[in-house]
Structures are given as C-alpha cells and as structure tokens.
Amino acid sequence: MKIFLEGEWVDKSKKIEVRNPYDHSVIDTVPKAEGADVEKALAFAERGAKVMAKLSGYERWRILRKAADIMAERNEEIGRLISTEEGKIIAEGRGEANRAVETMMGSAEEAKRLHGETVPLDGDPGGANKLGFTLRVPCGVVAAISPFNFPLNLVCHKVGPALAAGNSVIIKPATDTPLSALRLVEILLAAGLPPQGIQCITGSGGEIGDGLVADPRVRKITFTGSREVGERICRMAGIKKVTMELGSNCPLIVMPDAHLERVAAAVAATGYANAGQVCISTQRVLTAGRVYGDFLSVLSPKVQALTTGNQLDEKTKVGPMVREADAVRVGEWVQEAVAGGARVVVGGSRQGAIYAPTVVADVKPEMKISCDELFGPAVAVTPFNTIDEAIALANQTVYGLGAGIFTENLEWAMKFAREVESGNLHINWGPQWRADLMPYGGLKESGFGKEGPRYAVEEMTELKMVVFHLTQ
Ligand code: NAP
C-alpha cells in the first residue's frame, strides 16, 4: 500500500515489509517515511486544520456515519486484514472490525453534540451584568500514534473523535501493523472526508517520532503504546495537549466465596485473547489461600483447551504473538519465575511465534511475570489471605489500567472499587472488558486522559470562555 501524504497516495523507494506473524510471509509493503515526509505532513495538516474547522457538525457527522456504514459492509474483508497482519484469531479480527464500526458511529454522534455551556458569572462578586459562556473549538493538528495490537479500532478511537471535533489528523500506525490504518484512510476518503483532513505516514517511530511529536504545529498528541515510548513522547512534546494510553499488568482478585467455574472461564477468556497482547489482559490472578488449590484444578483444563495455530483457521483459539522475539521473551520471564520457585501448571512451551497458553502458580510479586507488563499468553497466580492483602498486592505496581474481583460479597466488591488504583474496575469478570462508548483510560503510569468518543472529543478540543460585559 502507499501512504497518504499531502492529499495524495504516495509511494517511496524505501519500503517496509509487512509480514503475517504466523508464517512470516510478506503480505504487503508500505513506504518507509522519513523526516522530510513528516515536515510535509505537518505543513499540509496545518492548512488542513483550517479546512476541517469550517465543516459543520452535520457534515462531520455525515462523513463519519458514512465511513461506519462502509466499514460495516466490508466487515469480513477488514477483519481478515486485521487478523492477517496482527496475528489475532479470525473471530477476534472480525470482532475488532465490528467494534471499529461502533467507535466510528459513536464518534459521528459526538460531531452533533459538541457544545459549551453558559456560566453564571453573576455568582461572582463583580459579575453582575456579565453574561458568559464557553465555546468548544478544535485543537488544530492532531498526531495519532497507535500500537500494533488493535490496528484498526485503536486508530478509530483517535481518528473518529479528532475528526468529529473538526481537527486534521496525522496517523502514525505501528510498523508491524500499518495496513488497517491505511485502509481506514481509504474508507474515510470514500465517505467524503476532505483530503486535507487526514494523512497517514508509515515508518519507524524511533526515527520519525520525535520530529512529529516535538513540532509546535501539532496541538494535540493522542498516543497508545508502551510506557517507555509514552514517557519519551511526554518529554519531547513540549507545551501541547497529550493523551497517554499505556500498558499494565492487570490484577484479578479471587475471593474465597467466588464461583470458581465462572472465575476460570473469565481467566481463560480474558488472559489469552490476542495471545495475551491486550493492555487490559488478566495477568496477575490473586487467589484466596482457602480456594487456591481448587481454583488451579478448575482453571487448568480450561487453559489446556485453548488450541494454538494459524490465526486464520476457524478452530484456532490462540494465534501467534506479533513477533517471535516476544514469544521468546515470555518464555524467559516464565523461566525466571520457575528459577525463583514458581510452578508451570499448564503450558510453558514455544513454537516460533506461538507461545502455549500458560498458567504459572506460586508467583511472587517481585517476579517479572508479575511486576512488569508481560503482554503475552500467560497468567501468574499468587495466594493471599485477607482482602486488605489482596488490595495491597493489586496496588503494588506502577500501573493502574484495569482490575477485577470475583466475589458475592457487596462490601468486598465496594472496597475493591474504592481502594484499587485502576481506571477500569470489574466486579465478577476479568479486567479485559471494554465497551467502546465508556470512558477508558489508566491511572498512575498507565497514562492519563480518556478514550471513548464522548470523552475523547473533549480531549480533542479546547475550551474558550466568552464574556459579554453588559451595561444593564
Ligand atoms: P510501542 O512500541 O510503544 O509503539 C506504539 C507506537 O509508538 C508505534 O506506532 C511506534 O512506532 C510508535 N513509536 C515508537 N517510538 C516512538 C517515538 N520515539 N516517538 C513517537 N512514536 C514512537 O507499543 P506497541 O508494542 O506497539 O504496543 C504495545 C503496548 O501498547 C503495550 O504496552 C500495551 O499495554 C500498550 N497498549 C495500551 C492500550 C491502552 O489503551 N492503554 C491499548 C493497547 C496497547 P513503531 O511501530 O514504528 O516502533
């Protein structure tokens, strides 16, 4: 595919090969953009922001709504593309394609709802005869930098609200999975988006990222990715609006009254989807000592049943990781835990980029598989005695994106919701659950700012205060 730069599809002699993670075959190539391309994109986007700001809410709604309709019609093709470039199983590829339709539809609705409010200035001692209201205006140029693991829906979570708010957008998709983002650009143009409103450049983030995020013409950065890259972007960004959706090592607390079959089903569903490469994957299963052995017995067969293989085979439950190096790293972390006294109860083997769904028991909090973001198909099980101990363990991390608890006890559930330091809290399900309309984002080093169209449009706009100084 080509990149979309300065209102045109552009090819370049330097290419990046996009490979299927399962068999390493080349699916396509994309141009390798360089610093000069970033400069072109920025200058064009600055002019594009003026074009976008002139579109009415109705026009922005119509474009996004039409894009959602096209995406819905092409669901199967788009789902297959996601699955092929990313490695997630085809059912998950289709699921992501469906979710992306909802994200674009939700964004379209927000284009009609952007509003300010009147401010009762006469409540101020000097405010008599003043009339005040706020206006929401677009930021201008938005840089949208996305990760590999949801190559379409996470791009939509940035592009949809940014366009709904009347900005021009420069997308920088992950180098491993750039094709879905380029397909989205094609669809937006077919839906009537002015070409000035969007650009998509592919190339190494390490090489072109600084030039993009540090430039003062960019007024808003929306980033989803690792904590390390997020921190670098924050340092480089200077004075501009920034949203950071970063990683985590999400805990799930299993209280002694939990229904163990339901917990095991939830762990099997939320710990291994997309081969564990989900920012809210269940990673640390903190289990009450009283039910610890029983829980492992109920969980093991459910994880053993997760068959691995080619992600495009309908029977496969867990596909390859995006890169073989990541599967190697997961294996090393599991081995490090075993060397420290943990036990592999299920899995623990690797074949190329496929790491077998794994359960590691007796994990200590200081082991990498517990305290770092694993981002792979393994869960770490750790015992606890009291709810206070469980909450302390859950909070013993720099991250705070998602957490879950299984209990029938309302007091415990509410204590969990109040005291666990996490942006998303689930009672009687694992942390890996998201409705695209909900406010979604992390606490602590999992980031700041919220996604979900209703919340993201606020992040994509500036608030102006207008005051009429009346005489009577
Ligand atoms: P990553 O390595 O941080 O890359 C994310 C994006 O940043 C890619 O497009 C990458 O480009 C780009 N990038 C790299 N260096 C850059 C720089 N110096 N300046 C600007 N951009 C730069 O993350 P990933 O491996 O793709 O994704 C996995 C991570 O994303 C995990 O930590 C996961 O938890 C997190 N994540 C968080 C959420 C959330 O909602 N909180 C959702 C999904 C994923 P290249 O690909 O060219 O390097």
Side-chain angles (χ1 to χ4, degrees), residues 196-313:
Q196 294 92 336
I198 195 115
Q199 298 176 87
C200 182
I201 47 176
T202 52
S204 159
E207 290 170 24
I208 61 172
D210 286 359
L212 180 62
V213 301
D215 196 282
R217 285 168 289 187
V218 171
R219 296 312 311 147
K220 162 80 193 176
I221 298 169
T222 167
F223 173 77
T224 301
S226 61
R227 196 187 66 80
E228 292 69 26
V229 173
E231 189 171 11
R232 179 179 177 90
I233 290 173
C234 286
R235 286 186 202 287
M236 297 299 299
I239 300 172
K240 52 176 70 98
K241 280 169 78 97
V242 177
T243 297
M244 286 281 142
E245 297 284 353
L246 310 177
S248 196
N249 56 352
C250 300
L252 171 62
I253 298 173
V254 185
M255 294 305 291
D257 63 342
H259 190 298
L260 295 185
E261 278 289 338
R262 280 190 66 197
V263 184
V267 172
T270 64
Y272 304 93
N274 197 15
Q277 300 164 116
V278 183
C279 49
I280 43 178
S281 235
T282 300
Q283 180 177 330
R284 297 180 289 145
V285 186
L286 310 171
T287 307
R290 232 197 298 160
V291 295
Y292 190 78
D294 290 347
F295 170 62
L296 287 173
S297 307
V298 179
L299 177 65
S300 298
K302 290 201 165 34
V303 177
Q304 247 144 10
L306 298 173
T307 50
T308 58
N310 184 340
Q311 75 272 23
L312 296 174
D313 179 341

Side-chain angles (χ1 to χ4, degrees), residues 139-152:
C139 296
V141 176
V142 173
I145 305 175
S146 55
F148 76 84
N149 64 333
F150 285 86
L152 182 64

Side-chain angles (χ1 to χ4, degrees), residues 7 16 40 69 92 99 111 118 125 127 129 139 175 220 240 293 306 321 327 340 344 349 372 378 381 383-384 427 469:
I16 297 169
K40 284 181 191 166
D69 289 345
E92 292 170 351
R99 285 182 58 190
T118 54
N129 296 330
C139 296
T175 296
K220 162 80 193 176
K240 52 176 70 98
L306 298 173
M321 297 190 69
V344 172
S349 61
D372 281 357
V381 189
F384 69 83
I427 291 137
H469 297 261

Side-chain angles (χ1 to χ4, degrees), residues 16-20 25-30 85 175-176 178-179:
I16 297 169
E17 289 179 337
V18 184
R19 291 176 181 271
N20 178 334
S25 58
V26 176
I27 313 162
D28 206 339
T29 60
V30 291
E85 70 171 336
T175 296
D176 287 312
L179 303 177

Side-chain angles (χ1 to χ4, degrees), residues 46-47 104 113 117 134 149 186 190 220 229 244 249 275 311 317 342 347 357 385 445-446 453 470:
E46 200 180 28
R47 297 197 296 277
M104 294 302 275
R113 285 186 199 144
E117 60 182 10
T134 58
N149 64 333
E186 275 176 19
K220 162 80 193 176
V229 173
M244 286 281 142
N249 56 352
Q311 75 272 23
K317 297 281 187 267
N385 291 313
E445 294 187 23
S446 288
L470 304 170

